[in-house]
Amino acid sequence: MRYLLILLFNIVLFAHSYNFDENKFVFAIGNTFHKVGNISFTKDKATITYSSPRYKQIIKNENNISIEGKSGKKYHLKGEALSHTKQFIDIMIKLGQFNEIKNNRDFDVKKENDKYILSFKNELRQMFLKAEVKVKNSKVTSFKLFMKNNDTLEIVKR
């Protein structure tokens, strides 16, 4: 019993999660898509579970990413899809945490009222133009990514 409590305590202590609404604008077709989901993550693993409009679960474990749909069929990403998806998941984790925004070497930060404007560095600059992160009481409430292809991805925490 003691070992179970220690394990549970460690999971609670080192695991983070939040529910979110995702709004993705796809410039090429001029349309916005809305999804509802949850992201949970530890140092070594991240899981994004979309519940609406369709169930989908994306699991990042070390350098592997798998996608599982409602049918239970699982796909493992490779190549460029793996690289881009990994970057998106890592950015969702970083931008969702206030401490990561203020102390991260992957971007420069400029504060404007309750919003932080992030300029990306290094390889992230190849995908993202910038990000806007809204904060209330030192907690991230939402963030919006602006991509090189004019798409945007907005995450609003619930």
Side-chain angles (χ1 to χ4, degrees):
M1 181 68 161
R2 181 177 1 171
Y3 297 111
L4 181 61
L5 288 174
I6 291 171
L7 179 64
L8 186 58
F9 178 71
N10 283 331
I11 289 170
V12 171
L13 185 63
F14 297 110
H16 303 279
S17 72
Y18 61 86
N19 295 319
F20 63 88
D21 287 310
E22 176 182 298
N23 299 301
K24 182 173 184 175
F25 175 73
V26 179
F27 178 78
I29 59 174
N31 205 355
T32 300
F33 299 93
H34 177 78
K35 295 180 183 178
V36 176
N38 173 277
I39 183 169
S40 62
F41 52 94
T42 63
K43 182 182 174 209
D44 301 322
K45 184 179 179 180
T47 304
I48 300 173
T49 305
Y50 291 103
S51 56
S52 176
R54 285 188 299 238
Y55 174 84
K56 179 173 31 171
Q57 189 170 64
I58 303 168
I59 300 170
K60 176 185 168 247
N61 199 353
E62 296 177 8
N63 290 323
N64 298 311
I65 296 179
S66 63
I67 300 175
E68 184 177 332
K70 187 176 181 178
S71 69
K73 192 168 187 174
K74 195 178 275 193
Y75 300 92
H76 295 277
L77 299 182
K78 295 177 184 168
E80 196 171 304
L82 174 65
S83 174
H84 288 308
T85 304
K86 185 176 181 229
Q87 285 180 325
F88 270 106
I89 293 170
D90 290 345
I91 289 299
M92 282 182 71
I93 291 169
K94 289 176 185 174
L95 297 185
Q97 301 176 79
F98 184 69
N99 289 339
E100 286 286 333
I101 293 167
K102 298 199 63 136
N103 302 315
N104 200 295
R105 291 184 247 160
D106 290 331
F107 35 78
D108 290 322
V109 180
K110 181 178 153 189
K111 188 173 189 301
E112 293 180 1
N113 301 322
D114 67 341
K115 185 175 17 177
Y116 291 84
I117 309 298
L118 284 61
S119 301
F120 292 93
K121 297 179 184 179
N122 305 319
E123 64 188 45
L124 294 175
R125 195 171 30 173
Q126 303 302 316
M127 277 184 68
F128 308 111
L129 292 173
K130 68 176 184 174
E132 295 178 355
V133 181
K134 291 186 181 175
V135 175
K136 184 175 182 181
N137 299 326
S138 297
K139 299 228 186 262
V140 174
T141 58
S142 68
F143 59 86
K144 188 171 188 176
L145 286 165
F146 296 83
M147 284 156 269
K148 289 249 177 176
N149 64 358
N150 293 322
D151 290 0
T152 61
L153 177 72
E154 181 181 33
I155 300 293
V156 180
K157 288 184 171 184
R158 293 175 147 212

